[in-house]
Amino acid sequence: MTETQATDSLAFIATCPKGIELLLADELADLGAEPGKTTVAGVHFRASLATAYRVCLWSRLANRVVLCLVREEGIETPDQLRQAVAAVDWRDHLGADGSLAVDFHGRSEAIRHTRFGAQTVKDGVVERLLAAGRPRPDVDLCRPDLRLYANLHRGRLTLGVDFSGDSLHRRGYRRDVGHAPLKENLAAALLVRAGWPALARQGAPLVDPLCGAGTLLIEAALIAADMAPNLARERFGFHGWAGHDERQWRELRREAEARASIGRKRCRSRLFGFDESPPALAAAKANAMRAGIPALIEFRGASLGRLGRPEGLPDAARGLLITNPPYGERLGQLPELVTLYGQLGERGRAAFPGWQLAVFTANPDLGHRIGLRAHKHYSLKNGPLDARLLLMAIPEADEGLAGAEPAPRPRLSKGAQMFANRLEKNRKRLRKWLKQSGESCYRLYDADMPEYALAIDVYGDRVHVQEYAPPKTIDAEQAQRRLFDALTVLPEVLGVDPAAIVVKRRERQSGKGQYQKQATSGERFEVREGRARLWVNLRDYLDTGLFLDHRPVRRMLGEMAAGKRFLNLFCYTGTATVQAALGSRKEDTEAAGASDSVSVDLSNTYLEWARDNFALNGLDPSRHRVVRDDCLRWLETARAQFDLIFLDPPTFSNSKKMEATLDVQRDHGRLVRLAMARLAPGGTLVFSNNQRRFQLDADLAEHYAVEDISRKTFDPDFQRRPALHHCFLIRHREAS
């Protein structure tokens, strides 16, 4: 079926973000069009040419407006596609010297690449023009006179002239999109769903407490001031179309300019944007200036925790509190976000009683932390993310409650309160030991309550939370709610800033997982363990650089190392070497540490970390060397003798840098024998590992003197997990 502009009513399709098709259909009707069939991310409609121009100028929701020329079924092959395109008389659409570009979407069994599809469409246009005696048109991908839109889906071809040019969501006021991931037409859709057009007509106020680059506020101001969203656009796709009527377009544009001038003056709504990021606020102000509504929005620097009712708003004023907070796509962002969403509810109840609250989030479980019930929610897409718009009514303030006073915190769930109580109990149990030992890095909680399957470690004024991956029998949403419960409780119980809490998920590793980066913050800081100063990094790796459960083993090595030659195999970040090199101090009598040391590991990352730890403690690199090598290979070729050896292999490793995989249960016998070959007479091998069900090779006890000291190597913070590691002292048997 071929349809042209020959009649007053032309066929169009308007595309839009998924989830707002019905809103777009209503908007098209309001603009004078006749909406028809709704498809995924699109609405078919009929309209006169003047109405189509009005849609391009005034639509706040559409991405593109396409004049449909071909809608045909059964298109599967390149020849069928080319013939369907060639059936259109392109002289009606492309001027004699006009240039061309094709946007092709979709595929078939024979047309699998969009570039090939676009080339085939272009060939059909050229074929028809050449047959009519017209010259071959130039292709201009950047600024063509005629841009064609082609979509092929399940054999159905939709082909037409793109009246929009650039996507209509690009209003032209936003330059630095890094500060504003929310597209303009999606922001407008959120405002429509939240009832803003009606509120704006009443002169109601609007506040975005996390405004970023101001997209929601600017779209709200354009609605309140009756300004066409694309009034600032210089060129639309229809400007190069042969059927363009410039007179009609100019009349519509003059009408829109007049309405904008009047609307700005008559706008009664006050709009406020808050953010604590100076760069974001600077971008927002610049965007508002380019949008032509700088006087309608007040931007202020403020954190969400200090959000209050804007000065000058009457107490009786009721408006819309709307925001698009971060979603927490990365696990490490969650501690701050759990607090942030909770603050949003607290400050909303305190400062904006009686208002409407609209929150757009891709993490509805975070939305529950607001503490208000959503009376409506709408499913939408924000790029590739499934998201929801939650609409909530903020209750009226209790009589006598001042608007700026903090609202009471939402009550903790029963489980969260039990978790908080357990944290307090554990802190009380460890308090005396911590005071006596002076340790600042310790485990506070380790899945004490099975439903809260977390390991929580304190590093000075920071907290490292590892979530054990829940089994498949546990509902994932329930597990996440419990994690959020824990993250709500931790800042208050421990008295730490949520930004100082780092969350990771601890899953079974394939051997090299501990060497893979989780983030790239480079955020390391210094902690103390006994006499040692050590660098730790809570964010970038699965582990932090300091295995807390091995603290007693490192302390023992320091006590044993005086004047000895020390070897550290699988040395990781060299913390055991630091303790051995520093030695121990008892009753103010300093015992000298190891005379020299060699630390061996395969990871360049961790060996550099070890060097930094050595430098932090003033260790002489000529006496305390690091060696990058496979420990098995190094032991097989080494000739030096050592008085004290620490062997702490991973449970499993299949690093590409190794010649073979390492399984500690299978391979520990060989490792121990090779290490014992390097152990001097009278020396000691300290062999440790974290294989929970580890069984020592019985043959080793026949050849060497073996002492299992595992139970002696747990400080009070790890005594609930006696199988967390195994530790043995192994020595040569004395000759009889």
Side-chain angles (χ1 to χ4, degrees):
M1 178 178 69
T2 302
E3 302 178 57
T4 70
Q5 70 276 24
T7 64
D8 289 336
S9 179
L10 307 175
F12 294 89
I13 182 171
T15 65
C16 63
K18 290 181 181 179
I20 68 170
E21 296 88 352
L22 295 178
L23 288 181
L24 176 58
D26 290 342
E27 181 187 60
L28 291 170
D30 290 342
L31 292 172
E34 299 175 24
K37 181 181 178 182
T38 298
T39 64
V40 176
V43 179
H44 292 275
F45 68 96
R46 299 194 70 86
S48 66
L49 184 60
T51 300
Y53 288 164
R54 183 175 288 108
V55 170
C56 289
L57 183 60
W58 281 94
S59 177
R60 303 183 191 278
L61 306 177
N63 283 329
R64 296 190 179 279
V65 174
V66 178
L67 170 63
C68 293
L69 304 178
V70 175
R71 293 173 63 187
E72 189 167 328
E73 304 282 349
I75 305 297
E76 298 289 346
T77 68
D79 282 345
Q80 291 172 330
L81 175 60
R82 180 180 48 77
Q83 291 171 13
V85 175
V88 177
D89 189 348
W90 292 103
R91 291 174 298 178
D92 295 336
H93 305 288
L94 183 64
D97 299 322
S99 58
L100 178 69
V102 180
D103 290 332
F104 186 89
H105 308 268
R107 56 177 292 164
S108 70
E109 284 297 319
I111 303 170
R112 301 188 178 187
H113 302 287
T114 56
R115 184 177 295 181
F116 177 61
Q119 180 67 40
T120 304
V121 171
K122 189 210 75 171
D123 290 344
V125 175
V126 171
E127 178 181 312
R128 180 61 183 259
L129 289 175
L130 291 177
R134 290 272 293 270
R136 178 186 296 270
D138 292 331
V139 173
D140 184 347
L141 300 179
C142 296
R143 194 179 173 87
D145 293 302
L146 188 71
R147 184 176 292 277
L148 300 184
Y149 170 91
N151 183 278
L152 183 61
H153 179 65
R154 294 182 179 178
R156 181 186 298 116
L157 172 66
T158 301
L159 172 68
V161 176
D162 185 347
F163 265 34
S164 316
D166 285 339
S167 176
L168 294 176
H169 85 268
R170 297 190 179 113
R171 319 289 203 217
Y173 61 74
R174 215 168 71 181
R175 301 287 170 85
D176 184 359
V177 296
H179 286 296
L182 191 66
K183 288 185 177 180
E184 294 90 322
N185 57 345
L186 180 55
L190 301 180
L191 289 159
V192 173
R193 280 293 190 205
W196 173 242
L199 289 170
R201 286 192 292 272
Q202 300 167 16
L206 181 143
V207 172
D208 184 347
L210 299 162
C211 69
T215 306
L216 277 167
L217 286 159
I218 293 170
E219 292 297 317
L222 294 176
I223 292 172
D226 191 30
M227 293 178 64
N230 288 299
L231 185 58
R233 181 177 291 223
E234 295 180 358
R235 189 177 191 276
F236 289 81
F238 55 71
H239 277 111
W241 175 55
H244 174 51
D245 187 332
E246 183 65 16
R247 182 187 60 80
Q248 285 197 58
W249 167 245
R250 287 181 179 175
E251 287 180 4
L252 288 167
R253 187 179 179 86
R254 279 196 294 269
E255 175 198 347
E257 289 171 344
R259 285 174 61 176
S261 178
I262 295 170
R264 281 192 293 260
K265 295 174 184 176
R266 292 182 177 177
C267 180
R268 295 181 293 128
S269 292
R270 298 184 62 186
L271 293 89
F272 302 88
F274 298 88
D275 206 287
E276 60 182 343
S277 166
L281 287 174
K285 291 175 182 177
N287 289 342
M289 181 70 70
R290 283 188 288 266
I293 40 82
L296 300 184
I297 307 173
E298 297 180 43
F299 292 104
R300 301 177 183 177
S303 66
L304 182 60
R306 301 182 65 182
L307 178 68
R309 190 182 187 88
E311 294 180 7
L313 276 185
D315 290 341
R318 299 292 184 266
L320 177 63
L321 187 64
I322 185 168
T323 193
N324 173 39
Y327 307 151
E329 294 99 308
R330 295 191 303 276
L331 196 62
Q333 298 173 320
L334 289 179
E336 293 177 82
L337 295 186
V338 168
T339 299
L340 181 143
Y341 278 71
Q343 288 177 334
L344 182 57
E346 291 171 21
R347 299 313 307 154
R349 287 188 295 272
F352 301 94
W355 285 44
Q356 297 297 311
L357 173 61
V359 179
F360 187 52
T361 178
N363 195 329
D365 285 326
L366 277 174
H368 295 323
R369 300 287 135 181
I370 295 171
L372 295 172
R373 181 178 175 274
H375 59 83
K376 287 185 181 179
H377 58 84
Y378 298 96
S379 296
L380 298 160
K381 279 279 193 181
N382 188 5
L385 299 175
D386 292 317
R388 286 185 185 179
L389 175 66
L390 308 176
L391 301 183
M392 293 161 268
I394 302 175
E396 293 285 353
D398 293 334
E399 188 175 350
L401 177 65
E405 293 179 2
R409 286 179 175 270
R411 293 181 60 184
L412 294 175
S413 68
K414 183 178 179 181
Q417 188 60 62
M418 291 174 62
F419 176 75
N421 294 342
R422 178 56 63 97
L423 291 180
E424 291 284 13
K425 180 180 178 181
N426 288 358
R427 292 183 79 197
K428 184 177 180 180
R429 176 175 60 85
L430 296 174
R431 189 172 294 133
K432 183 178 179 181
W433 167 71
L434 289 171
K435 184 176 181 180
Q436 291 175 344
S437 67
E439 298 294 349
S440 61
C441 304
Y442 59 95
R443 177 150 295 181
L444 178 63
Y445 175 94
D446 197 351
D448 302 26
M449 301 165 60
E451 58 269 34
Y452 289 88
L454 307 170
I456 300 174
D457 296 323
V458 175
Y459 288 80
D461 58 357
R462 310 189 194 201
V463 180
H464 187 245
V465 178
Q466 297 178 87
E467 180 192 22
Y468 296 117
K472 293 180 180 179
T473 54
I474 299 297
D475 179 67
E477 290 187 5
Q478 186 180 52
Q480 187 172 58
R481 282 196 295 272
R482 287 170 175 166
L483 173 62
F484 289 171
D485 280 346
L487 297 179
T488 300
V489 163
L490 278 169
E492 191 166 338
V493 172
L494 301 185
V496 298
D497 188 329
I501 301 175
V502 177
V503 182
K504 298 172 189 166
R505 171 163 289 177
R506 189 99 197 181
E507 300 183 89
R508 184 178 179 85
Q509 296 299 306
S510 60
K512 56 190 174 183
Q514 75 180 90
Y515 295 103
Q516 295 178 346
K517 277 201 170 186
Q518 311 284 305
T520 56
S521 71
E523 183 184 314
R524 67 179 187 178
F525 59 98
E526 181 187 328
V527 297
R528 297 194 72 96
E529 182 183 88
R531 298 179 58 200
R533 301 164 62 192
L534 302 168
W535 290 114
V536 296
N537 182 320
L538 304 189
R539 297 187 184 276
D540 293 349
Y541 302 90
L542 183 62
D543 294 310
T544 66
L546 183 63
F547 293 124
L548 297 183
D549 63 307
H550 276 73
R551 184 193 313 112
V553 179
R554 290 188 292 270
R555 187 166 59 238
M556 179 184 66
L557 290 170
E559 295 167 357
M560 297 171 65
K564 293 179 180 177
R565 298 165 293 177
F566 178 65
L567 172 63
N568 188 357
L569 297 165
F570 302 96
C571 72
Y572 188 42
T573 59
T575 54
T577 304
V578 171
Q579 294 288 16
L582 293 176
S584 65
R585 175 181 291 169
K586 292 185 177 179
E587 298 177 358
D588 297 326
T589 301
E590 185 173 332
S595 60
D596 55 80
S597 69
V598 176
S599 300
V600 185
D601 202 284
L602 197 54
S603 166
N604 278 324
T605 297
Y606 290 122
L607 288 178
E608 283 300 318
W609 200 330
R611 291 187 183 96
D612 290 344
N613 279 334
F614 293 0
L616 189 61
N617 290 275
L619 303 186
D620 184 350
S622 66
R623 291 174 48 213
H624 301 284
R625 298 187 301 117
V626 297
V627 176
R628 180 180 176 272
D629 206 345
D630 178 343
C631 288
L632 273 167
R633 183 171 56 220
W634 187 87
L635 283 169
E636 289 171 343
T637 59
R639 293 292 178 265
Q641 293 280 295
F642 298 89
D643 306 303
L644 180 62
I645 301 176
F646 182 43
L647 172 62
D648 183 31
T651 298
F652 181 83
S653 181
N654 60 355
S655 170
K656 293 179 181 179
K657 300 173 185 176
M658 294 176 60
E659 294 179 355
T661 60
L662 173 68
D663 183 308
V664 72
Q665 183 61 66
R666 181 192 68 202
D667 300 325
H668 76 274
R670 181 184 173 201
L671 271 170
V672 168
R673 291 183 184 91
L674 286 170
M676 293 301 289
R678 305 273 60 82
L679 185 67
T684 302
L685 168 67
V686 180
F687 169 49
S688 176
N689 71 80
N690 289 77
Q691 168 63 271
R692 297 294 177 93
R693 299 180 179 179
F694 178 77
Q695 295 292 325
L696 187 70
D697 186 347
D699 187 56
L700 293 176
E702 294 182 10
H703 289 82
Y704 310 108
V706 178
E707 180 184 358
D708 185 348
I709 63 167
S710 301
R711 289 189 174 277
K712 301 177 183 178
T713 59
F714 290 97
D715 277 340
D717 54 335
F718 281 95
Q719 286 177 352
R720 287 191 68 256
R721 292 279 187 135
L724 193 58
H725 67 241
H726 303 270
C727 192
F728 305 87
L729 300 183
I730 304 178
R731 301 180 176 93
H732 293 295
R733 289 188 182 278
E734 295 183 7
S736 56

